[in-house]
Amino acid sequence: MTSTVFQSELRTGLAAVRQAAIACRSVQSGITPDALAKKDKSPVTVADFASQAIVCRQLGIDFPNDPVIGEEGAAELRSPEGAEFLSQVVHECVGTGIAATSHQICDWIDRGNLQEYRPRFWTLDPIDGTKGFLRNEQYAISLALIVEGEIELGILGCPNVPFTTDDQDKPRGTLAWAIRGQGAWAAPMDDSATTAVRMKVSGRTDFSRVRFCESVESGHSSHDWSGMIAEKLGISAEPVRMDSQCKYLAIARGQAEIYLRLPTRKGYQEKIWDHAGGICVVREAGGTVTDIHGNTPDFSRGATLSDNVGMVVTGGPDHDRVVEAVTASAPE
Ligand code: AMP
Ligand code: MG
């Protein structure tokens, strides 16, 4: 029997993430080499706000009682300095078919401004991997529904990830999702007619053939530490460095076996929107996710994973061995 639990939430979430991706792509395609060279952050600012406005608008229509813990708030946009950004955000929303006033846009964004825990809430990263977005590389729109501290639904919109690796001529873009207990699925982002495929982790056990991934940014995850872990485990392949929760997708699809997120400084608290969508997808594909101490991430603490440190994600049966290697190589 096909379960119908959370199906309407899934439909809403997928439609919202697809629509947000249209805005993100429109903005990313306009990043000029000049803006890239100047490290101009304004494109990602516009896309980030547009994406959060679009997703929160849809959630507000279909689930008006559900709060959203999102990464952004509209305070900056409402200020006089934000006026230019705001008009660009309005423009991008119109481009996806949403006609709205500046006021409405700010109100939608602020629907996602909650920071405290609730018995039922959504969490949203409108653009995860902002650095990747600006480099014209990988980024993700990540949305999840959390009920009583459990991630029940996770969606990852990955506009630059090819759905199939065999046909490079096909347009890029992969949409991945999972409902707890109902498996993990993926489909091409722009083709809702294509039947979704079920995702499965690789299950590869031979560490000499294991592939691991980590952040491009060494400030987000320690590359030195992961190097020591790889050596300890006998992993010979170079790490695959990728921005955003596209790393979770890589594990879920069996393109890599280990994703390490190792703190670069004491006291950094991981944000729930950087993980919830990805964790749900990986777990339902058969993978395991803990923090670096082997503890299950606790999504009942509000906006941060304050009881956890870093993250260890595996798609093989040797999760405990990876956590042991993390501990054994930990810097002083
Ligand atoms: P990634 O694309 O894997 O580099 O991760 C991007 C995310 O890293 C952003 O969404 C930030 O929320 C998060 N981040 C920012 N600073 C840090 C930090 N010091 N340690 C870990 N993650 C961070
Ligand atoms: Mg993020």
Side-chain angles (χ1 to χ4, degrees):
M1 195 185 80
T2 314
S3 175
T4 53
V5 184
F6 297 115
Q7 288 298 318
S8 58
E9 284 86 346
L10 176 65
R11 265 194 306 277
T12 294
L14 290 178
V17 168
R18 271 206 170 95
Q19 198 169 23
I22 295 171
C24 294
R25 278 176 159 162
S26 151
V27 176
Q28 199 185 41
S29 68
I31 297 178
T32 58
D34 191 38
L36 239 167
K38 282 192 197 136
K39 296 200 159 66
D40 174 14
K41 292 206 178 86
S42 47
V44 78
T45 308
V46 171
D48 221 9
F49 284 127
S51 174
Q52 179 153 329
I54 290 165
V55 174
C56 288
R57 169 186 169 271
Q58 197 60 51
L59 294 178
I61 293 169
D62 294 344
F63 300 98
N65 297 323
D66 284 355
V68 185
I69 299 186
E71 189 172 18
E72 305 300 335
E76 183 190 338
L77 285 183
R78 291 184 201 270
S79 73
E81 296 77 45
E84 174 56 30
F85 279 132
L86 184 53
S87 72
Q88 290 180 48
V89 175
V90 172
H91 174 79
E92 291 305 331
C93 288
V94 169
T96 73
I98 298 171
T101 65
S102 308
H103 254 302
Q104 282 173 307
I105 299 268
C106 290
D107 288 348
W108 291 332
I109 292 169
D110 278 337
R111 277 208 86 241
N113 209 4
L114 178 77
Q115 296 293 301
E116 295 87 43
Y117 176 75
R118 293 284 189 277
R120 174 179 157 124
F121 66 94
W122 298 77
T123 186
L124 169 69
D125 196 337
I127 292 191
D128 182 38
T130 51
K131 297 259 171 68
F133 181 88
L134 287 170
R135 283 191 244 99
N136 263 315
E137 293 170 8
Q138 296 303 341
Y139 66 97
I141 300 148
S142 178
L143 179 66
L145 174 67
I146 294 168
V147 183
E148 305 296 346
E150 283 283 350
I151 315 164
E152 296 289 358
L153 163 67
I155 299 174
L156 297 178
C158 306
N160 285 339
V161 172
F163 177 63
T164 52
T165 44
D166 52 335
D167 188 352
Q168 294 301 327
D169 293 335
K170 284 204 179 125
R172 293 185 296 175
T174 301
L175 197 56
W177 66 89
I179 295 173
R180 189 162 68 97
Q182 298 182 37
W185 303 83
M189 187 145 224
D190 307 299
D191 178 8
S192 45
T194 302
T195 315
V197 295
R198 192 161 184 167
M199 294 192 287
K200 184 115 196 36
V201 295
S202 86
R204 190 178 280 187
T205 53
D206 177 359
F207 280 111
S208 68
R209 292 175 56 239
V210 151
R211 301 149 296 180
F212 87 91
C213 51
E214 63 185 354
S215 294
V216 174
E217 301 296 324
S218 57
H220 293 173
S221 183
S222 169
H223 293 172
D224 293 344
W225 190 353
S226 66
M228 290 189 285
I229 295 161
E231 200 180 313
K232 204 168 230 14
L233 291 171
I235 297 172
S236 48
E238 285 297 307
V240 178
R241 294 196 174 134
M242 203 193 300
D243 299 285
S244 84
Q245 285 167 70
C246 292
K247 294 187 279 295
Y248 278 105
L249 176 61
I251 302 291
R253 294 212 285 184
Q255 291 174 322
E257 285 75 28
I258 302 174
Y259 160 28
L260 297 172
R261 195 170 191 85
L262 308 164
T264 55
R265 62 178 169 85
K266 247 194 156 61
Y268 179 79
Q269 294 187 345
E270 294 290 336
K271 310 296 183 288
I272 59 169
W273 51 77
D274 283 334
H275 299 283
I279 289 176
C280 190
V281 166
V282 162
R283 280 181 180 157
E284 285 301 316
T288 308
V289 185
T290 68
D291 73 358
I292 61 163
H293 302 305
N295 298 321
T296 304
D298 181 355
F299 284 86
S300 66
R301 304 267 136 204
T304 67
L305 294 164
S306 54
D307 277 4
N308 299 102
V309 183
M311 211 61 83
V312 177
V313 183
T314 64
D318 285 327
H319 190 85
D320 294 348
R321 265 190 72 193
V322 177
V323 171
E324 274 169 34
V326 171
T327 308
S329 326
E332 292 296 309

